[in-house]
Structures are given as C-alpha cells and as structure tokens.
Amino acid sequence: MIQEFIPSGYTSSLSEEMYSHRAPSNIALVKYWGKKQGQIPANPSISFTLSNCYTDTSVQLSTRTEYAEPYSFDIYFEGELKESFRAKINSFFQRIEIYLPFIKEYHFEIRSMNSFPHSSGIASSASSMAALSVCLMKIEKELQPQMTDDFFWKKASFLARLGSGSACRSVKGSIVLWGEHPEVDGSSDFYGITYPFAIHPNFNNYQDTILLIDKGQKQVSSSQGHNLMYGHPFALQRFEQASVNISKLKTIFEQGDLNAFIEIVESEALTLHAMMMTSLPYFILMKPNTLTAIEKIWQFRKQTGIPVGFTLDAGANVHVLYPYKVKKEVLQFIDSQLTILCENGQYIKDEVK
C-alpha cells in the first residue's frame, strides 16, 4: 500500500518559492496510546478537529549551497530560530525522504506559529506536523500537477503521521478516524480518514472550551508515554477497549445520544491517564486543579441535567465538551466556577471545525 506514495518521477518544475498552510489541532475522543514501529498505532482512534487552535506554517525554498548534512533547513517558531526543534525535523525528513525525494535538493526556511500555548496538552505537534506536511505536498503537487485532490490529502495525512502520529488526524475532516477498524471500510493505520458515517445534528458546532490548568512543558513527552505501553500489563485490554468504543460511537453519532457520548469520552480520558499511572515507570500528568475541574463538571451536570462532559489529552488541561445549544449556560458555569482553576484564569473557546 505505501508504495503508492513513492513518486516515480516529476513531470514539472517549481515556479513558486513560498508555500503556506494552516492546520488545526484535534482532540481525540477515543485515544491513541501505544504505537508500533513506523508510527503505526496500536489501536484505532477518533478525534474532533478544532477551529481556533491551529498552526500556521510557511516554507520558503531557496537554492541549496552546502551539502555537509543530508538536509538543509532552518526552523523558526514564533519568529525565533529554534535549534531545539532541529532534531525532530531532521528525523521527520529522514522518514519521508523516500516519499518526497526533492527534500534533499533545496534549503527550507520553515516558519511556524501557534494560536495556542506550545507544549500545553493541546496537540501542538499534531497541528504543526500536519501544516508542514501539507506545505511539502503543495510543493510536490507543483512538481506533479496531475496529482488528484484525493491523493494529495491522503498522502499529506500519511506524511504527517510520520512526523507525529496524531498529526494525521489534523489534515482533513471534522471528525477523523485513524487506524484500521474492521467495521470501517477504507480505515488505515497509515493515514486518517474523514469519518464516513452519519452524524446527528446534536454534534454540529460541538463546543470545546479548553481550561488551561497548566501551560508549562509536560514532564513526560507523549512519545515517551507511548513507548511505556510495551509490556504494560493492561495494554491488550486497552487496545480492545478502544476498538469497541469506536464501534459504539457509530450508533451514538447517528442517534445523537449525548449521555452515551459523554460516558465513552470521559471513560477514554480517564483510561488514558490510568495507563500512565500503571506503566513502569509510572507518572501523573494531571494536576490538583484538573481533578477539581472534573468534579465540578460532574456536579454541574448532575444538578442541571445539561449534557456537558470533559476529555483530557496527555496533559493537565481539561477540554470541556458540550453541544452548541447549551453554550450560554456552560460558559456561565465556566466563568463562575472553573476559571479560578486555570493558570492566570485563562481558557480557550473552540469548537469542532
């Protein structure tokens, strides 16, 4: 299958020097935790694509003047040269060189900025690697003008996965499935696909208000956490649970069952962190205010009957999820009871793209 992404040759030349793209972040509903060699997920996952959390990336091409290293590039983040990002980009280029052979022929000036705090559990690597992958595909599209749009986006997701697994879910689609699942035709471990089944209007413009409990660098990276699933005593059960939950979501999305949706999504979030706490070495990414926010959400939902829930990524921040129709009531609740738990009282209002 991956052979289709290796070009046999290019039929045109480049006329532009600058390529840009904006890629959204995403929040997983069914979590991906644990991977095989080659950025292959140990279980399928599904995510909401966000609107207001995104990465803008531009790639400026120039003639390469030195060949001491395999690849020539500079990476700027929010206007500053970031040598600390060099190893990640170099590793990415190594993985994708066979699929984009032109990357050895140019110098790349890569400039990137986020609309949200970097390394704060809002999947910055997903949006940034997705944005860079689409920029590179825009270059290849110019070299190979006959490329179809479907192939363009499929290969962009394929490449993004090689930079950061969850990045393949930030390329295209409002709800994206990544990972082979027996009940979803076209699903693949190699790229994400737009969710192919019916979605009830209850999920239109679904809201995600992100409580910035802790905006600092995580003590354990997601890559380190994924690796700890090797030999984890509950790994096989976890992988099966994820697959079963994706099956359940098909009916939930079709029928618009918000209570059942909340139950699965909250269980997935807590399971993710339970896997962290039961690995060796074990670790905790939640903060005291994370737990307090969860308890307040549960209490508010019980008292009001309003279908508001939460999910967590691999960090301390809380994603408050709720349908658009209750936006006013939930934002009032957040302002009155949850902002005090956020760092500097900050949160981000977002919604499904």
Side-chain angles (χ1 to χ4, degrees):
M1 176 183 288
I2 63 175
Q3 295 299 315
E4 67 177 312
F5 299 121
I6 301 175
S8 57
Y10 295 128
T11 60
S12 188
S13 58
L14 298 178
S15 59
E16 296 184 41
E17 295 180 347
M18 175 78 79
Y19 302 82
S20 301
H21 187 70
R22 171 175 291 180
S25 184
N26 71 79
I27 179 64
L29 307 172
V30 173
K31 307 296 183 180
Y32 142 65
W33 199 244
K35 59 186 175 183
K36 305 170 188 176
Q37 188 173 6
Q39 296 286 85
I40 299 299
N43 65 264
S45 59
I46 192 168
S47 61
F48 277 159
T49 306
L50 302 179
S51 295
N52 299 328
C53 290
Y54 56 80
T55 298
D56 281 329
T57 295
S58 66
V59 176
Q60 176 87 41
L61 292 184
S62 60
T63 303
R64 189 170 180 180
T65 58
E66 61 83 24
Y67 290 85
E69 300 293 334
Y71 316 107
S72 180
F73 63 88
D74 292 310
I75 174 74
Y76 295 82
F77 180 69
E78 310 210 327
E80 294 185 10
L81 185 65
K82 285 286 186 179
E83 290 298 325
S84 60
F85 290 5
R86 178 168 289 277
K88 185 175 181 69
I89 300 299
N90 196 69
S91 176
F92 177 52
F93 277 14
Q94 286 178 336
R95 291 171 178 172
I96 68 172
E97 178 190 334
I98 188 174
Y99 308 109
L100 297 179
F102 67 81
I103 63 172
K104 298 192 75 170
E105 299 175 12
Y106 298 94
H107 174 78
F108 300 86
E109 182 179 288
I110 305 166
R111 292 185 176 271
S112 187
M113 62 83 62
N114 290 342
S115 67
F116 55 92
H118 177 66
S119 295
S120 59
I122 315 180
S124 59
S125 62
S127 54
S128 61
M129 298 309 295
L132 176 57
S133 296
V134 175
C135 287
L136 295 174
M137 281 304 299
K138 287 182 178 181
I139 298 171
E140 185 169 68
K141 172 73 170 176
E142 192 167 348
L143 293 168
Q144 208 169 43
Q146 69 273 23
M147 183 187 301
T148 66
D149 285 347
D150 284 347
F151 182 82
F152 176 98
W153 292 110
K154 184 163 73 169
K155 184 169 179 178
S157 181
F158 172 85
L159 296 173
R161 186 197 94 250
L162 295 174
S164 173
S166 58
C168 75
R169 299 193 310 248
S170 279
V171 171
K172 189 174 178 62
S174 298
I175 302 177
V176 179
L177 174 72
W178 169 39
E180 191 171 330
H181 192 281
E183 297 174 18
V184 186
D185 290 342
S187 60
S188 173
D189 289 340
F190 297 107
Y191 47 82
I193 65 169
T194 299
Y195 191 70
F197 302 123
I199 303 294
H200 192 277
N202 280 351
F203 296 101
N204 292 347
N205 300 318
Y206 215 78
Q207 302 293 295
D208 179 5
T209 300
I210 306 159
L211 308 179
L212 299 180
I213 305 293
D214 182 5
K215 296 192 290 182
Q217 180 80 31
K218 292 182 295 188
Q219 70 213 41
V220 177
S221 72
S222 294
S223 293
Q224 291 171 314
H226 284 295
N227 290 337
L228 292 176
M229 290 298 284
Y230 290 107
H232 195 294
F234 309 128
L236 293 180
Q237 296 93 328
R238 164 58 202 153
F239 301 149
E240 177 63 24
Q241 177 195 38
S243 186
V244 169
N245 281 341
I246 286 177
S247 297
K248 291 179 179 179
L249 277 175
K250 181 180 178 182
T251 301
I252 290 168
F253 277 138
E254 182 179 350
Q255 297 180 351
D257 188 338
L258 295 176
N259 291 327
F261 175 76
I262 289 169
E263 183 177 88
I264 283 183
V265 170
E266 291 188 344
S267 172
E268 279 284 322
L270 295 174
T271 299
L272 171 66
H273 284 261
M275 300 308 285
M276 299 174 190
M277 290 188 279
T278 51
S279 62
L280 285 175
Y282 41 80
F283 59 101
I284 299 174
L285 294 184
M286 290 187 285
K287 301 293 185 182
N289 281 358
T290 306
L291 296 174
T292 301
I294 290 171
E295 290 173 345
K296 285 183 176 292
I297 291 167
W298 283 344
Q299 184 180 31
F300 176 77
R301 186 169 74 223
K302 183 177 181 180
Q303 290 175 345
T304 65
I306 291 174
V308 56
F310 73 88
T311 190
L312 308 167
D313 218 327
N317 297 330
V318 179
H319 292 248
V320 186
L321 300 175
Y322 51 97
Y324 180 79
K325 65 182 179 181
V326 296
K327 180 176 180 178
K328 179 180 178 181
E329 297 93 326
V330 175
L331 288 178
Q332 287 175 344
F333 158 64
I334 290 171
D335 284 332
S336 64
Q337 297 192 45
L338 300 184
T339 53
I340 194 173
L341 304 173
C342 301
E343 188 174 329
N344 300 321
Q346 290 183 290
Y347 62 84
I348 298 172
K349 297 177 185 178
D350 215 328
E351 63 183 8
V352 179
K353 189 174 181 182

